[in-house]
Amino acid sequence: MQKPTIPKGTRDFSPEEMTKRNYIFTTIKDVFHLYGYRQIETPAMENLSTLTGKYGEEGDKLLFRILNSGNCFNGLTDTELQECNPITFAAKACEKGLRYDLTVPFARYVVQHRNELTFPFKRYQIQPVWRADRPQKGRYREFYQCDADVVGSPSLMNEVELILIMDEVFRRFGIRVTIRMNNRKILSGIADIIGEAGKIVDLTVAIDKSDKIGVSGVNDELRTKGLSQQAIDHLQPFIALSGTNREKLTALRHTLSVSGTGLKGVEELEYIFDRLACTTPLRAGLEIDLTLARGLNYYTGAIFEVKALDVEIGSITGGGRYDNLTGMFGVEGLSGVGISFGADRIFDVLNRLDLYPAGSLKSSQLLFVNFGAKEEAFLLPLLERVRAAGIRAELYPEAAKMKKQMSYADAGKIPFVALVGENEMAQGKVNLKNMLSGEQSLLTPEELIAHF
Amino acid sequence: MQKPTIPKGTRDFSPEEMTKRNYIFTTIKDVFHLYGYRQIETPAMENLSTLTGKYGEEGDKLLFRILNSGNCFNGLTDTELQECNPITFAAKACEKGLRYDLTVPFARYVVQHRNELTFPFKRYQIQPVWRADRPQKGRYREFYQCDADVVGSPSLMNEVELILIMDEVFRRFGIRVTIRMNNRKILSGIADIIGEAGKIVDLTVAIDKSDKIGVSGVNDELRTKGLSQQAIDHLQPFIALSGTNREKLTALRHTLSVSGTGLKGVEELEYIFDRLACTTPLRAGLEIDLTLARGLNYYTGAIFEVKALDVEIGSITGGGRYDNLTGMFGVEGLSGVGISFGADRIFDVLNRLDLYPAGSLKSSQLLFVNFGAKEEAFLLPLLERVRAAGIRAELYPEAAKMKKQMSYADAGKIPFVALVGENEMAQGKVNLKNMLSGEQSLLTPEELIAHF
């Protein structure tokens, strides 16, 4: 019989990986709770009418569709049956699909439950999503997203708190990061000023290369993208923008002075920096970066992105504000702002930097070796006391060879082994062996418990 | 636009439901950890070759199948295309399905990773499963299973510890329960003795009714099921079985004396009771119940089932031993034993008995009312101190009307509200209002933190 496998792009998580992942999620959840975010969960399956059209044409192709139960050909006309067009077919034979992200289900949740919710609604959600992407290194077809969003509050205090959350989460992880920040309104302002509203993406991509290809390289590239010389001239102050965040804001206030939208963006950034100045300085770097344009299709205000300083890897967290989050489901006027932690990449960073704290791995602390029936009977009440004291302890389930039992402790990274044979039973004591040092000590049950 | 919905049989979980569910899972996980069980996760999607044929013909129909990406008609012959047979079609057009339970993916996991695992392997797994069942009250198409299994150890110590785990979990929940226990070998012994090996299920169903329809009613029913008078005569001592567990075991030892298999079953139960006699008496009732025949298709030894005493509801936990767990994937000789907590039913029981402990709901403890820009700036460093002390605290994100901010605290069940206006700022103090009693007190930041 062939060795069974799992679908490509999916993963099993071993106990060791799970303890690491749990450490990541617990750390993030603890911080979310401190800031008043509350967890929800939505079903893995959503109606395809909820999902399609929300991620662009490419996204629609990447949805996993679930075949209707019963006869999947019901509802297809004879012509449709003869056509064998996979798209027409899927539209009729599949009513449900797997969620593609957490944002659309969240918008659906807010609209569906809006009469039960109190706004602003601060929710977080940690669940897997599925995408029929071509699997490749670091890209999976099933992966967890870890999102926090506030909906129904236009206040920039939310942006401030989300920055504090990102700072606190990475401080707890011990990952040194820079938070890059931009504002869609500033990008719109720049496009207004140079008269190229449709070319925001080209602009940001080009500006982003100025470190590598220099200003003249950037200008050449913009020319090939069809920008007029006048537009390129107007763009120079933005390419040249440098200095501290405050210096950048001052310069932007000047260069964007004729764009109402642009100035609004500058004011939003100023508000955020003003508020952050009231708190202990962030551990993370915080940088205004005009080249940051992620998710440009839907962000309308703040745009965030976090990069690790000590590991070469893409962004490990991102987010922004999107006005009209729920507009796609017919409820207008609810603004949202949120961030999404990239659990898989954070996992990689913590692994590469070996940053898991010692106590985060919840494997057993103590293994009692099993010498046979009499010892089992003797050990059961002791095990009970040890566990009642909160110590994670195991009794090897059968009187296997000593070597096998010790290998079990080794493999499970159990740091202490208790040997209780005839002698120890007679004395009512436990021979505790430190698996790392090999050191042994004879302890009373009280001493054993006190030891942990 | 129509209000969006979710697929039938699926659920959204609100923040309040999530805190309750998290309390359930955390409680169970804590106990699993104390006993050395370690978490794994497997993908939502498995290859259909892994899933089909494992749950009987009915089960196969209840699998959710995922349409292949790209052209789902690839690989179908012209004849197959013309036939429009949904079963032939699904076999070609779908390679993947959603997991139906956690046991088959676990068996697949063990076989796939057997070279990395150390046996006995004690794993737990808490993940959703999907079944295309007809949705009805209390039955969902997506629900969580919560399983602990040991594979690779025939020792009955595992059964003993699983009973201790069930006892401890329900003690922590405060749910009074009875654990019913049976052994498949005893049922086989009974069937041997009465010469009706094929009728175990009929036997147990009939015996189960003796309370309601009396012994003569049971016998009548067995006659209609085609049992001979001789078989029915032989069955009488089993129907009449009563008394304490020890009395039952003594009687069974006698009545099963000619069945090797039956006696083995009795010895297994005796071992379990002997070992349990070494520990503090269980809080749960533990009863030998010959009518317990759940999962008869695959259990080969112990069979467990837990019922709540104070709520009318089906079994809330169940399990048993299944020799040859991994045989379905070609690896013979690995015995498994496990239990599965029914999270949805436990949720219902806890709700009906109102057993959630006060501290289990992780909503915010404190809301700072927002009076405007100056107060925001004043409150940010205070918020930082409060959160650094581990207090879950929020600042209302904008200077909305007082009434709106107070309703937000009410709706979120936030027990304390802090009012900090001109006067309080001048004194460097906080006016703390108890939302339940209405009581207010003026506190320094230190006093505020000490209060929580």
Side-chain angles (χ1 to χ4, degrees), chain A residues 24-96:
Chain A
I24 293 172
F25 292 132
T26 305
T27 303
I28 296 173
K29 282 170 80 164
D30 284 348
V31 178
F32 285 164
H33 288 155
L34 278 183
Y35 283 78
Y37 284 77
R38 304 174 71 198
Q39 191 172 17
I40 68 162
E41 281 190 5
T42 62
M45 302 188 283
E46 293 275 354
N47 292 322
L48 279 168
S49 57
T50 297
L51 300 177
T52 44
K54 308 303 190 300
Y55 308 105
E57 219 172 291
E58 263 320 294
D60 280 356
K61 284 190 202 148
L62 300 183
L63 293 173
F64 280 111
R65 288 156 205 272
I66 291 159
L67 200 63
N68 293 342
S69 326
N71 189 338
C72 62
F73 292 104
N74 282 350
L76 274 92
T77 64
D78 285 350
T79 327
E80 284 167 345
L81 285 172
Q82 273 153 31
E83 254 178 25
C84 287
N85 177 328
I87 294 175
T88 328
F89 172 77
K92 296 266 174 117
C94 301
E95 280 168 7
K96 295 178 285 290

Side-chain angles (χ1 to χ4, degrees), chain A residues 155 271 280 376 384 387 397, chain B residues 12 35 155 271 280 376 384 397:
Chain A
S155 165
Y271 174 96
T280 306
E376 280 180 10
E384 193 185 348
R387 286 172 177 152
Chain B
D12 284 325
Y35 283 79
S155 165
Y271 174 97
T280 306
E376 280 180 10
E384 192 185 350

